[in-house]
Amino acid sequence: MIVAIDGPVGVGKSTIARMIAKEAHLYYLNSGNFYRAITLKHLERKGDFSDRASCIKTAQETHIDIKDGVFYVDSIPVTEGELHNARIDMNSSRISAIPEVRSIVDKRIVEIASGMDIIAEGRDMTTVVFPDADFKFYLDASPEIRAKRRFDQKLDGLSYEEVLESLRKRDENDRNKAVGALKIAPNATIIDTSYLTIKEVCEKVLRAVKRQEKL
Ligand code: DC
């Protein structure tokens, strides 16, 4: 079974997908971490993000795996913390706009997911990577609400205005990609999370899944 979830940055996809994975005994796959891992490696190589060829080369040379919930980059376990900072946020947005990088990532995600019951979240899980997913959800909330949630987490010492500006920029990049742009799949269930708690969103998703399939 494949449950695919898409939505803009900061809408709570990771937290929600992780909770649902636990509840429904699904394997959790965070596709954004694939772009973040390639970005991390490119930063470590002191690569130039405006040089497409070198970004593609880094993507080709990055081996990503997930085993027992641990994310490995070139066989080294990498934590969420290592993949989340302002530099990786901005540059992963740029690197993910390169179609060749996307096709490398898409291929690896499909390989990792094959034969498993998974919940995958990102920007193009419902549209490009798993167009035949059993369940498709699109989570949404206004930029201001998403920025406020991010700001309240006090992740990187940025002001609310800075968080909002970075989020808007990344929204724009996500929506204007030549390939894999963020959009709502025609048959996706849209959930506006603006005034819902994480738990309420999880319940909505689980109810929709359970209605059609016994978990
Ligand atoms: O979900 P996230 O913020 O961790 O994703 C990191 C970057 O990768 C972000 O700029 C959006 C991009 N991304 C993408 O283009 N396609 C996906 N399926 C997942 C993430």
Side-chain angles (χ1 to χ4, degrees):
M1 176 168 81
I2 295 180
V3 179
I5 301 186
D6 285 324
V9 58
V11 78
K13 296 182 300 289
S14 309
T15 313
I16 288 156
R18 210 178 277 117
M19 284 173 78
I20 293 164
K22 206 166 161 204
E23 184 78 19
H25 308 291
L26 301 170
Y27 189 87
Y28 167 61
L29 191 144
N30 176 335
S31 60
N33 280 349
F34 286 62
Y35 295 103
R36 288 177 179 273
I38 296 165
T39 305
L40 175 66
K41 183 151 162 179
H42 206 58
L43 283 169
E44 283 170 357
R45 289 178 161 187
K46 306 212 184 312
D48 177 357
F49 284 88
S50 54
D51 176 1
R52 290 167 59 97
S54 75
C55 292
I56 297 166
K57 189 163 184 288
T58 299
Q60 285 164 337
E61 293 171 357
T62 307
H63 180 74
I64 297 174
D65 213 348
I66 309 174
K67 280 191 204 124
D68 299 326
V70 180
F71 190 77
Y72 292 88
V73 181
D74 299 331
S75 306
I76 297 166
V78 174
T79 63
E80 285 282 327
E82 288 171 87
L83 294 173
H84 284 81
N85 60 50
R87 280 181 86 196
I88 295 187
D89 286 354
M90 263 348 277
N91 289 307
S92 60
S93 179
R94 293 178 71 187
I95 218 164
S96 69
I98 303 173
E100 291 87 343
V101 172
R102 300 198 70 82
S103 80
I104 293 166
V105 167
D106 293 354
K107 191 165 160 267
R108 186 63 189 136
I109 289 176
V110 170
E111 274 168 14
I112 291 176
S114 87
M116 292 199 301
D117 288 328
I118 69 155
I119 179 160
E121 53 100 349
R123 306 295 189 286
D124 61 346
M125 296 297 101
T126 59
T127 52
V128 176
V129 182
F130 299 114
D132 301 322
D134 302 276
F135 300 96
K136 299 183 184 184
F137 296 93
Y138 185 92
L139 305 187
D140 211 356
S142 71
E144 290 77 13
I145 285 182
R146 288 182 281 129
K148 167 96 173 55
R149 289 177 184 159
R150 273 280 149 107
F151 175 68
D152 288 344
Q153 290 177 313
K154 306 259 178 260
L155 293 176
D156 34 26
L158 300 178
S159 68
Y160 168 76
E161 286 71 24
E162 287 167 329
V163 174
L164 180 60
E165 198 197 321
S166 152
L167 189 140
R168 282 192 196 280
K169 236 179 239 159
R170 287 154 67 201
D171 272 359
E172 201 182 309
N173 287 355
D174 279 343
R175 296 202 163 104
N176 293 311
K177 281 174 187 142
V179 179
L182 175 65
K183 48 186 167 216
I184 305 173
N187 47 358
T189 302
I190 302 170
I191 303 177
D192 183 347
T193 75
S194 298
Y195 302 103
L196 298 174
T197 63
I198 296 276
K199 194 160 169 262
E200 286 167 336
V201 179
C202 285
E203 279 163 6
K204 268 184 187 284
V205 172
L206 280 168
R207 258 201 310 274
V209 172
K210 279 178 180 162
R211 263 203 304 272
Q212 293 177 56
E213 190 134 339
K214 194 153 171 40
L215 294 173

